[in-house]
């Protein structure tokens, strides 16, 4: 099997930009399936050149969250001012390649949304997943945050419709459900998606 050539970061960025432009042209031509494939090819090139980078990056994000939580808790206990978080523009996560990867994942999500008419469930989940990855690569990418908030809201309202239909069906079959609880609605997927949607809009308001 032929070994994949090792590219420099500038070469990777150049290749990703070329495929992004090709994908954009396909998207504008309403060839959404080919556009999605092109964006995914670009993402694959990056992942092949930097294997395990994203997984390690997620671990770092989680470690940073834990550390921030400890700092905030300590500040509250000592009644001192909470330190300002590090400006994300100063960190490597805002490197040109990471920002480009956020764009590629957001564009892939946009293509998936266009393809939902052919397979709503598959492409809806893909769109959400791509937006969430884009948010990890660039948490202040406004266009992606707006798209993800919209996806969460639509998922929440769709969940509400589905839950209502299932509840009505259950009520017809069994009027007394001893296992049900008034608190169930707060733990439902609908509630979780609405909470996520709210958190994104709160983040957008701070940008």
């Amino acid at each position: 099997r032929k070994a994949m050539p090792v590219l420099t970061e500038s070469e990777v960025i150049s290749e990703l930009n070329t495929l992004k432009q090709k994908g954009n042209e396909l998207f504008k031509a309403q060839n959404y399936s080919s556009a999605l494939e092109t964006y995914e090819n670009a993402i694959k090139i990056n992942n092949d050149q930097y294997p395990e980078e994203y997984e390690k990056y997620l671990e770092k994000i989680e470690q940073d969250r834990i550390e921030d939580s400890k700092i905030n808790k300590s500040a509250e206990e000592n009644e001192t001012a909470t330190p300002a978080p590090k400006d994300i523009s100063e960190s490597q996560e805002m490197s040109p390649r990471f920002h480009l990867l956020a764009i590629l994942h957001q564009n892939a999500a946009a293509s998936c949304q266009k393809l939902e008419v052919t397979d709503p469930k598959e492409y809806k989940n893909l769109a959400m997943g791509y937006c969430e990855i884009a948010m990890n690569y660039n948490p202040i990418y406004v266009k992606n945050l707006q798209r993800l908030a919209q996806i969460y809201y639509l998922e929440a309202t769709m969940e509400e419709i589905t839950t209502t239909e299932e509840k009505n069906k259950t009520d017809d079959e069994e009027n007394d459900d001893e296992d049900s609880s008034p608190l169930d609605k707060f733990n439902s997927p609908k509630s979780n998606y609405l909470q996520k949607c709210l958190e994104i809009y709160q983040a957008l308001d701070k940008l």
Side-chain angles (χ1 to χ4, degrees):
R1 183 178 178 181
K2 188 177 179 180
M4 177 173 295
V6 178
L7 306 177
T8 65
E9 181 154 12
S10 61
E11 288 174 333
V12 172
I13 290 174
S14 177
E15 186 68 21
L16 299 188
N17 270 315
T18 298
L19 288 173
K20 183 192 73 168
Q21 183 60 35
K22 179 182 177 182
N24 291 351
E25 292 171 357
L26 290 165
F27 188 92
K28 290 177 182 177
Q30 299 182 10
N31 191 343
Y32 304 121
S33 180
S34 295
L36 175 59
E37 183 179 356
T38 303
Y39 296 133
E40 288 178 331
N41 285 341
I43 293 167
K44 184 177 185 303
I45 287 175
N46 177 83
N47 294 344
D48 288 343
Q49 292 293 322
Y50 300 93
E52 299 182 8
E53 178 187 60
Y54 183 68
E55 287 75 14
K56 292 178 180 179
Y57 173 53
L58 289 183
E59 291 176 4
K60 180 181 181 299
I61 291 176
E62 184 59 27
Q63 290 172 359
D64 288 345
R65 287 175 180 165
I66 293 173
E67 187 63 28
D68 287 343
S69 177
K70 289 180 179 178
I71 292 173
N72 292 337
K73 183 177 180 180
S74 176
E76 290 175 359
E77 290 176 350
N78 298 320
E79 297 183 351
T80 57
T82 302
K86 181 179 179 182
D87 187 342
I88 193 168
S89 64
E90 299 176 4
S91 62
Q92 67 170 352
E93 289 79 23
M94 286 300 292
S95 69
R97 183 167 57 84
F98 270 39
H99 179 59
L100 184 52
L101 286 166
I103 294 174
L104 286 166
H105 282 86
Q106 194 279 153
N107 289 359
S111 300
C112 288
Q113 285 186 302
K114 293 293 186 180
L115 291 167
E116 281 184 23
V117 292
T118 59
D119 191 335
K121 185 174 182 180
E122 177 183 357
Y123 286 111
K124 178 179 64 177
N125 291 336
L126 276 175
M128 185 186 299
Y130 279 132
C131 278
E132 289 174 339
I133 294 174
M135 182 172 63
N136 287 331
Y137 276 122
N138 185 353
I140 57 174
Y141 181 16
V142 173
K143 187 174 183 179
N144 180 68
L145 292 176
Q146 291 172 334
R147 187 179 300 280
L148 184 55
Q150 178 194 53
I151 290 173
Y152 283 152
Y153 180 78
L154 292 175
E155 186 69 12
T157 53
M158 179 56 66
E159 176 68 25
E160 180 178 27
I161 293 171
T162 304
T163 302
T164 301
E165 290 177 348
E166 292 177 350
K167 182 179 184 302
N168 290 339
K169 183 178 179 182
T170 302
D171 288 344
D172 290 340
E173 297 173 352
E174 185 176 338
N175 293 328
D176 187 15
D177 184 0
E178 295 180 356
D179 295 329
S180 65
S181 167
L183 297 177
D184 288 346
K185 64 180 180 180
F186 296 107
N187 299 319
S188 69
K190 168 183 174 291
S191 177
N192 292 336
Y193 284 123
L194 284 176
Q195 180 62 33
K196 289 181 179 181
C197 180
L198 177 61
E199 289 172 356
I200 290 178
Y201 277 120
Q202 289 173 335
L204 283 167
D205 191 50
K206 296 177 182 178
L207 297 180

